[in-house]
Amino acid sequence: GFDPPHQSDTRTIYIANRFPQHGHYVPQKFADNRIISSKYTVWNFVPKNLFEQFRRVANFYFLIIFLVQLMIDTPTSPITSGLPLFFVITVTAIKQGYEDWLRHKADNEVNGAPVYVVRSGGLVKTRSKNIRVGDIVRVAKDETFPVDLVLLSSDRVDGSCHVTTASLDGETNLKTHVAVPETAVLQSVANLDKLVAVIECQQPEADLYRFVGRITVSQQTEEIVRPLGPESLLLRGARLKNTKEIFGVAVYTGMETKMALNYKSKSQKRSAVEKSMNSFLIIYLIILLFEAILSTILKYAWQAEEKWDEPWYNEKTEHERNSSKILRFISDFLAFLVLYNFIIPISLYVTVEMQKFLGSFFIGWDLDLYHEETNQRAQVNTSDLNEELGQVEYVFTDKTGTLTENEMQFRECSINGIKYQEVNGKLTPEGFTEDSPDGNRHSLMKEEELFLKAVCLCHTVQINADQTDGADGPWHANGIASPLEYYASSPDEKALVEAASRVGVVFTGTSGDSMEVKSLGKSERYKLLHVLEFDPNRRRMSVIVESPSGEKLLFTKGAESSILPRSKSGEIDKTRIHVDEFALKGLRTLCVAYRRFTPEEYQEIGKRLHEARTALQQREERLADVFNFIERDLELLGATGVEDKLQEKVQETIEALRLAGIKVWVLTGDKHETAVSVSLSCGHFHRTMNILELVQHKSDSTCAEQLRQLAKRIKEDHVIQHGLVVDGTSLSLALREHEKLFMEVCKNCSAVLCCRMAPLQKAKVVRLLKTSPEKPITLAIGDGANDVSMIQEAHVGIGIMGKEGRQAVRNSDYAIARFKFLSKLLFVHGHLYYIRIATLVQYFFYKNVCFITPQFLYQFFCLFSQQTLYDSVYLTLYNICFTSLPVLIYSLFEQHVHPHVLQSKPVLYRDISKNAHLGFKPFLYWTILGFFHAFVFFYGSYLLMGEDTSLLGNGQMFGNWTFGTLVFTVMVITVTMKMALETHFWTWINHFVTWGSIVFYFIFSLFYGGIIWPFLHTQDMYFVFVQLLSSGSAWFAIILIVVACLFLDVVKKVLYRHLQPTSTEKAQLTEAGSGINCLDSMCCFSDGETACTSVRRMLERLMGRCSPTRVNR
């Protein structure tokens, strides 16, 4: 997003744009209501896009070369570097232009949507883009809001409406928004037109859940001021539900709406491979400059001799004799630069882009990553990071909803110091026997009833509106309830309200400002006075209600760390013990408390709340103070324990990650004990592990002392594995002063668990590891809005399509439906993508070294006269046509090890960690190989044709073009065959492009050399190729040189495999022996029975190699 330039901190909005008549009033300028998500316009597309593309080193370099070719007399035509550059730039521009056109289309659809606005006493239909700040807008049921509105009135008497914000933060529950009472009564257009009111509110900001403002309504003589908060702001993009129509006044429009400010321009994440690619480019630039300088110096050394400086057949012109030495030197240097420039592969970028873009489809298509129950498949939001999935060293995962299902079930509770469980829809004290007849426990005791009422009143649960129509709603004549359908923003609340209704205290909905509770069949109405919303810092929420008897009560529920210290009576110690017992069982715990107010206290509170809520400056801080003032001297009622089930196969996945050498950190907001017990149950901590704790430190010194002791313990017993538990407060202390020490301890622990973490702390921990000296590759996986900062911070962010909405998915690079899919994503897709792209990059550099080195060697035989060895058409097409397809197809389909083997042996993942295949050694190997092959091509051809041998039957001799063509032919065949040697997984497409490339080269050359082309100024290649192929010895030479090149390669491979096989190569051997054959790999991405399986079995029976273990894999 962007911050709009505003002079003042607040904006003043005159409703319906009724500006004050008297005095000099200068209206503020506001943005119009157009949404612009596109990057380019028709006018700036070309300059802006070109600028972005030429920021790439290789593109810019080729542009310079092209300009040099235009300016000076160079050996090759400008087309040779201009055409590939033009091709690359055009392809990228078309792709980006198309994407942007789609954005424009979407924008126009949104901006042109019809809306109704109140103008001069009537409803006017206009387009969304014409709404101005201050307009009163009408929105009907199931429509989305076109701007950020402050709610004025709805079709309900109390001015409330229901909204879903699924497209903003992914929460599917209904949220209630309310209008201020003064405007809520104005339910018709005519009445609204008479409204005179002013809204003052803060300038736009991106936070969806924050809004600070006040409305001043002028009635007859007085002015009434009311606070406006998030509950009266309807956000653009949200949808109106269960409400016929609402009227609201536009406060933020267009690019200043909260939705637009949240269009986070994602910071570009770059993969490690791209960084290696750039460093290789620099090395090759150095080689290029070295070759050019060497050639230039040798040229002048050579020309120092008189007879070579000006031979009799090539006398200098007057102009050449008089030109300055320095200029001549520079132009010669530039000419050599142009001659050798192809050592830098321009098409590498395009091929890599295509590989990433096309390759990312495979993740979405993979059936193993498809979740049937929710009908969700894996999603790829960023295709730039595919290979990074193969490099992960640390996994940071959220607990709730990521490792667990986020489906809560009420298990037990503690009321007044006694533990209860739910048995057959009744609350039963622990140890209480059910043998006696039903009679003795039909009514609830007073404490139990109060506790259940607290649970039923202190929440933000909604009831499906279709069920609350009659006053008696879902209750039938016989008093039996049809189960109500509850909506809640947090699954915990829903589980608790549902449990209470099963036990006999039923929340039957809200009407107006009162909440209805049916306790054992008799209905009670509680008037809702205030809601003190939940926030992560307080970790609790409260409601203030007036009971039917007129008492003012405060009900609070929240984390035990925030409730118990504020309680002054009730069974505090017993409850604390129970809470810890619940936590040890892995239950999520909440404490419930209440407080009675005297009328005087209540007045004081009402006044303070109103002041804090109407403040325009520092509203949050003031509210926090007031909330603290209200929520104290509580009387503890009890605690609840709710279970969150583990997702399936979490244990196996975490174990596999550990085998692959990946360290797993769990970062959660949960209680210490709950988190530890879940960690044990999901296999993150083992029972045999020595668990070290760094918790509940208040001061720096104790924290440091503890850290030193832990470090000492780890050094002493390094035999067993250690697990570390840290909580949020200790963590912030440890990070403040003792970062090094803390990192030392963490690195020596095989599992780390951080509990009680705030969202930003999660991101801090990720950043800390990311920037540590080893620079490990990190992956963060989470499902809620609280994980977004950590997902954006890590190198790879993965969102889980869970119950907590779509926020995480929208901000992630990849999205999957379940945690267990992570293993396939990393061990199979990540591994294969990395191998593919690593080979792709190295091979590209190799084929260009092969291509240009003969050109350099040729200069020694032509007096450094910058004569080119190959024809310029060949120069242009080598990278575009003759050698590009086999490597692209390889980089899409290669599976060097079968996917099933990769997944069942996570250890293989270690073979590619730390960017092993793009290190300096493999790079050196490929470069030297390229130089070696180039020498063989050149000197092999030279030895054959060298001393004026006549190779044609009629005694004619070959010219230099024929020599060059011979070298080029050998080169195209060798380079293509080298790719074939690298390929382990052959599909018909691989065969088609590999052999097709060679055939295409021959056909093209015959066609190109067989015609006189009128637009070429020289016909150098006329009939050269046909002549070359009519010589038997040339054919012999081609075969001999190709075999000589590749023979050493094959020998090296065979020797290495037998003497020092890597574990990947061993896996390839076991796979070859295990009957996973090519028939099966056609269905490589399916797990169960497929069409291929039965065919495979039949064939295996025929071949007689069927054993039961083999069939089921």
Side-chain angles (χ1 to χ4, degrees), residues 1070-1083:
T1070 56
E1071 168 197 333
S1074 77
I1076 291 181
N1077 48 21
C1078 38
L1079 277 166
D1080 179 48
S1081 44
M1082 297 187 326
C1083 16

Side-chain angles (χ1 to χ4, degrees), residues 139-243:
V139 180
K141 183 175 176 178
D142 288 334
E143 288 180 8
T144 54
F145 300 116
V147 286
D148 286 357
L149 302 164
V150 164
L151 180 60
L152 293 177
S153 68
S154 74
D155 65 326
R156 300 199 179 137
V157 190
D158 59 352
S160 68
C161 70
H162 295 301
V163 170
T164 64
T165 53
S167 64
L168 292 169
D169 56 8
E171 293 183 5
T172 49
N173 58 301
L174 294 179
K175 297 192 170 67
T176 311
H177 290 261
V178 286
V180 296
E182 280 71 25
T183 61
V185 293
L186 310 171
Q187 292 179 311
S188 67
V189 177
N191 290 344
L192 278 167
D193 202 45
K194 299 193 188 98
L195 172 70
V196 180
V198 182
I199 291 178
E200 289 165 90
C201 61
Q202 59 186 142
Q203 294 293 9
E205 59 162 12
D207 187 343
L208 291 176
Y209 309 107
R210 242 193 93 180
F211 176 66
V212 180
R214 61 173 175 230
I215 182 168
T216 312
V217 184
S218 313
Q219 286 180 345
Q220 283 92 35
T221 52
E222 55 172 350
E223 291 195 342
I224 299 168
V225 182
R226 293 278 179 179
L228 296 174
E231 70 289 332
S232 41
L233 184 71
L234 305 170
L235 299 180
R236 172 174 193 144
R239 195 176 279 270
L240 185 64
K241 290 277 184 199
N242 292 356
T243 313

